[in-house]
Amino acid sequence: MDAFEGEGVFDARMEAVQFVGTTLSQFFLNDPSTGAIDAGLAAMAALDVDAAADEWPFADEPEARCALALMHEGALQREADGGEAMKWEYRRLFVGPQSLPAPPWGSVYTDRDCVVFGESTIALRSWMRARGIERLNDEKDPEDHIGLVLAMAAWLAEEKPELVGEFLRLHVLPWSGHLLEQLEAAAEHPFYKGLTSIARTSLSGMRDAFGLEVVEPRFYR
């Protein structure tokens, strides 16, 4: 914590990081047909968009309103059609088996060979190991999956808040905006278009809120 920063301000920002990371990561990481995120989707279907946008941290209110309105629309659509459209959109964007239009891993964009488990994955893995941080999931997904880094930000905000700024500056913000722009452009279902938009604007707001100077890498995709 900076010497000039009040403890209450610091704690409030950590609570906000935890909220954003916990709320959004579940939707990136879980197929909506499995039941794992039924509660979150029901909450989105019942959302008061204006009230939620007014309170959403790190995001400009108009951008938050537009993104949350899309997620609300998509969640209502899921209730109306039984979830088939959302299920197949999730698999198209995040699972395959076809080539993913915008892969959710940072190294695909920052590694010269555009591969998973590339340079950004290795760097993040080394950073975690040096600080005694264990993976939040199994070994199937590279650590620089957009859903995993959001979940990691939430975990750090609660368990190791002194590392949040460093984590964001070095291992999330350099590539997340570019990745999320690609995902937002590729998304066809309103829920995922809104999800990628609110994630992008929230992470950008975190950069400003924490006063982070981020070095953007060369993107190969």
Side-chain angles (χ1 to χ4, degrees):
M1 180 165 52
D2 297 332
F4 60 83
E5 185 175 44
E7 184 176 348
V9 174
F10 181 79
D11 289 346
R13 290 193 311 185
M14 290 304 123
E15 289 177 3
V17 171
Q18 187 178 11
F19 168 78
V20 170
T22 301
T23 301
L24 301 184
S25 62
Q26 61 177 323
F27 299 127
F28 284 107
L29 292 171
N30 292 284
D31 185 320
S33 67
T34 63
I37 54 174
D38 281 355
L41 292 171
M44 282 294 169
L47 191 69
D48 181 330
V49 171
D50 289 336
D54 189 54
E55 296 178 1
W56 192 271
F58 304 119
D60 290 337
E61 190 269 341
E63 287 188 77
R65 178 187 289 112
C66 181
L68 292 171
L70 285 168
M71 294 180 73
H72 175 63
E73 176 189 346
L76 289 175
Q77 180 178 317
R78 173 180 177 268
E79 292 185 347
D81 69 10
E84 283 297 301
M86 183 180 283
K87 175 184 74 175
W88 291 113
E89 175 73 338
Y90 181 86
R91 294 176 184 181
R92 183 180 73 87
L93 292 174
F94 299 107
V95 181
Q98 292 80 14
S99 177
L100 303 182
W105 304 280
S107 68
V108 172
Y109 304 89
T110 59
D111 191 278
R112 183 181 299 273
D113 296 320
C114 300
V115 294
V116 295
F117 290 105
E119 292 180 5
S120 67
T121 316
I122 295 168
L124 175 53
R125 185 174 289 177
S126 297
W127 183 87
M128 292 169 62
R129 186 181 302 113
R131 287 152 184 79
I133 300 170
E134 297 183 1
R135 289 178 59 99
L136 298 179
N137 71 330
D138 57 29
E139 298 293 327
K140 293 180 181 178
D141 260 319
E143 287 88 339
D144 60 344
H145 185 289
I146 186 62
L148 289 178
V149 297
L150 285 166
M152 177 62 72
W155 184 86
L156 288 171
E158 182 175 12
E159 301 293 336
K160 296 178 180 288
E162 70 280 4
L163 295 179
V164 167
E166 181 182 5
F167 172 66
L168 292 171
R169 178 175 61 86
L170 296 177
H171 299 293
V172 183
L173 293 173
W175 51 263
S176 60
H178 180 78
L179 181 156
L180 287 163
E181 285 180 358
Q182 305 301 308
L183 264 174
E184 187 176 355
E188 297 173 359
H189 194 283
F191 186 87
Y192 292 109
K193 191 166 283 291
L195 173 63
T196 52
S197 176
I198 196 67
R200 176 178 50 77
T201 192
S202 296
L203 286 168
S204 177
M206 288 182 198
R207 179 196 61 207
D208 296 339
F210 284 89
L212 301 174
E213 295 186 10
V214 177
V215 177
E216 188 173 280
R218 176 178 176 181
F219 295 116
Y220 294 94
R221 172 170 174 164

